[in-house]
Amino acid sequence: MSPQNPRLSRLCASALALHLPAQHFAMSISKTITIIGGALGSAPCDITLAFIPPNADFSSVIPIAWKVISLKAGDKLVYQWNNGPAAARAIVNAKTDIVTPEVFAPIAIGQISDLYLDENQHPPEYSFKKPKSTPEKRACVMNRTGGYVDIGAGYITDINTPMEDIHIPIVLRRVIDQSPGYVDFVPVLTLWASLSGFQESQLLDDSVTTIPPLWKEDLTKIDGEDITITMKRVNGKLIAVGPKPSNGPTMLSLFKQANIPNRPYTYTVELAFATPGLVVSGVTSIVNTLFPLGYHAKFTQKGYDTEGEIVLTLPEHVSCNKAELETIAAIEANPTIYGKAYIKSHSGAVLVSAHNGLESWLEVNPASPQWFGVKGQGENAAFDGANAEAFQQVNAAADGANGSADPVDVPAKTGGRRKAVNVNAGADAYDGNGTAEGDASKFGSVRRNGGRRAVLA
């Protein structure tokens, strides 16, 4: 085996591809919803947005008017949505049917939280208990208050930050004592124009089902992270132009959806040693150096007696590239194996789903931004073939490492009170926010919803 520099050998697998798992299971999803005022002419339009899941009966499961806005040409509103379930004790105004959240808490799929009422407090205080696991694949609240209670079903934005807020587009009306309320729902976003009679955060009634919506889609079936809906008039008719469901997720969108905090990454390196006797002792030395840094390792001796494979589970916020550099440093720190251990190939992977005992992983391309940082930004040709310049840059780097001095010409590119936060509440992490560009004071939908985060006991 000819000597080689371990720092250069890591480029040998720069052409590894990104592979899509055979099946795609439910995972945490975040979407940015953008509403744009297009060619509306001089007359603005009034639109109402609401989530109308298939089980909405407008009696026990009641949607609310999520956003009510007046839009003129050139306006742009941006909201965030995610599918991380959360629950709130909802206060419904008896005169106006306006819904206000009070205490709230995240509850993950497969968890149940008890809602209690302490009448010894002044005023009486509602509280959620720390969620517990349940075999049922739903997010559930058990009413332990001793009476009827209205439960808001929704999601939390900016979780564990001062701007944390609860959004409850669905109300489970008058849940009886010792009964469950399910706060996960199918997010069918529905848009109407001129839906008169309803204010923002007001309970809707079944009359809305008789009015044809301008746009209606299940957000989980739309590919990508961005959903842009443009309102415009064509020959006097108001229309909404928005995305439609795709046949399935693209590799890029699936990777972006998987690219969230606390999701496990692995770095796999295949090593070749100068002699068989160095394999076990060399791997042991490398792992002993990496273990105090937070890595967990699995070692497999290959069929050739001079080769071995190490699979490292990475600490949080550590990239595949950093894992590789620290592996190289561990080799160089041991004089027994330095110059006698070489990286033959490398790869990375990220966990995208775990369902009924089956884990699905997505391979990380070493030529992609995600290889160099868990939160890599931008698109890359290695994902969808759309960025030719990126391939040129990657190929140029690889050719240079292999001794080619030929230059490559790459074209230039021109609301509410928060009482406490329990970060170990047991629910999946998710974030987001609703914002508006322009004069925010004119849009009633741009505000925090209120409520306080539950102290989970």
Side-chain angles (χ1 to χ4, degrees):
M1 181 179 295
S2 60
Q4 52 182 302
N5 187 333
R7 292 191 181 276
L8 294 180
S9 64
R10 63 190 176 92
L11 292 171
C12 67
S14 61
L16 291 177
L18 181 72
H19 297 291
L20 193 65
Q23 297 188 48
H24 172 53
F25 300 101
M27 65 181 72
S28 295
I29 301 173
S30 295
K31 304 278 188 183
T32 298
I33 302 168
T34 304
I35 310 296
I36 295 177
L40 292 171
S42 58
C45 65
D46 296 325
I47 61 175
T48 301
L49 293 165
F51 288 91
I52 312 293
N55 67 329
D57 57 8
F58 297 90
S59 175
S60 59
V61 180
I62 308 178
I64 71 169
W66 181 52
K67 304 295 177 185
V68 177
I69 56 179
S70 179
L71 199 69
K72 70 178 190 302
D75 285 341
K76 180 179 180 181
L77 288 169
V78 181
Y79 306 104
Q80 299 296 327
W81 168 86
N82 62 68
N83 70 338
R89 186 255 166 161
I91 302 172
V92 181
N93 187 292
K95 294 182 179 180
T96 64
D97 280 344
I98 298 294
V99 179
T100 305
E102 194 202 14
V103 63
F104 61 87
I107 303 174
I109 298 293
Q111 291 188 332
I112 184 171
S113 176
D114 293 331
L115 177 62
Y116 283 91
L117 173 62
D118 185 354
E119 296 187 283
N120 294 322
Q121 300 293 325
H122 300 285
E125 186 172 290
Y126 290 84
S127 63
F128 287 94
K129 297 301 181 182
K130 185 175 181 179
K132 298 175 293 186
S133 296
T134 175
E136 194 169 12
K137 300 303 181 184
R138 302 289 304 274
C140 180
V141 174
M142 182 62 68
N143 179 12
R144 308 283 191 192
T145 64
Y148 291 105
V149 68
D150 293 322
I151 297 174
Y155 61 97
I156 298 174
T157 54
D158 292 315
I159 194 166
N160 297 331
T161 75
M163 291 301 294
E164 181 179 83
D165 202 6
I166 179 75
H167 305 258
I168 51 170
I170 306 293
V171 173
L172 310 179
R173 196 77 160 109
R174 294 179 63 79
V175 178
I176 62 176
D177 183 45
Q178 307 302 319
S179 294
Y182 297 99
V183 296
D184 56 304
F185 59 92
V186 179
V188 180
L189 184 60
T190 308
L191 183 153
W192 296 274
S194 302
L195 192 63
S196 59
F198 295 102
Q199 304 175 52
E200 185 164 303
S201 299
Q202 186 177 20
L203 294 176
L204 298 175
D205 60 42
D206 60 3
S207 67
V208 301
T209 62
T210 66
I211 303 173
L214 297 186
W215 190 86
K216 178 181 178 179
E217 296 295 347
D218 180 346
L219 298 187
T220 63
K221 295 182 178 180
I222 296 177
D223 193 22
E225 295 179 311
D226 300 309
I227 297 175
T228 299
I229 304 172
T230 302
M231 304 298 301
K232 61 182 181 178
R233 289 186 170 92
V234 178
N235 297 325
K237 181 180 179 179
L238 184 65
I239 63 172
V241 180
K244 297 295 182 182
S246 64
N247 293 327
T250 64
M251 289 186 287
L252 177 60
S253 67
L254 181 58
F255 192 98
K256 286 182 176 180
Q257 291 175 2
N259 188 18
I260 63 174
N262 305 320
R263 188 170 292 281
Y265 275 70
T266 61
Y267 165 74
T268 301
V269 59
E270 187 172 340
L271 297 171
F273 293 84
T275 63
L278 290 176
V279 176
V280 174
S281 62
V283 168
T284 301
S285 172
I286 294 169
V287 172
N288 287 343
T289 301
L290 296 177
F291 181 76
L293 302 178
Y295 293 92
H296 292 273
K298 181 182 76 172
F299 167 59
T300 302
Q301 187 151 4
K302 309 296 283 187
Y304 301 101
D305 57 5
T306 57
E307 296 180 5
E309 179 186 83
I310 302 174
V311 179
L312 297 175
T313 300
L314 309 189
E316 188 176 348
H317 306 310
V318 171
S319 67
C320 293
N321 185 63
K322 183 176 181 180
E324 182 159 274
L325 293 177
E326 291 184 331
T327 300
I328 292 171
I331 295 173
E332 294 179 342
N334 187 336
T336 302
I337 60 173
Y338 178 59
K340 300 177 183 178
Y342 309 101
I343 294 179
K344 183 178 179 181
S345 66
H346 64 177
S347 63
V350 56
L351 178 67
V352 294
S353 70
H355 183 75
N356 291 338
L358 175 64
E359 292 184 352
S360 295
W361 292 75
L362 191 66
E363 189 171 354
V364 180
N365 188 335
S368 71
Q370 284 75 16
W371 178 269
F372 297 92
V374 173
K375 293 185 178 180
Q377 300 295 320
E379 298 186 4
N380 189 281
F383 285 59
D384 59 7
N387 188 347
E389 292 91 342
F391 265 142
Q392 286 184 286
Q393 290 171 330
V394 171
N395 292 335
D399 288 343
N402 292 323
S404 172
D406 297 332
V408 176
D409 183 20
V410 179
K413 279 193 172 184
T414 53
R417 179 169 63 90
R418 171 188 170 102
K419 185 171 182 180
V421 171
N422 184 340
V423 297
N424 297 315
D428 292 341
Y430 39 82
D431 57 13
N433 192 29
T435 59
E437 296 184 6
D439 183 4
S441 63
K442 58 184 286 193
F443 299 107
S445 60
V446 184
R447 58 175 173 77
R448 294 191 60 201
N449 298 309
R452 57 182 173 83
R453 175 76 171 273
V455 179
L456 302 175

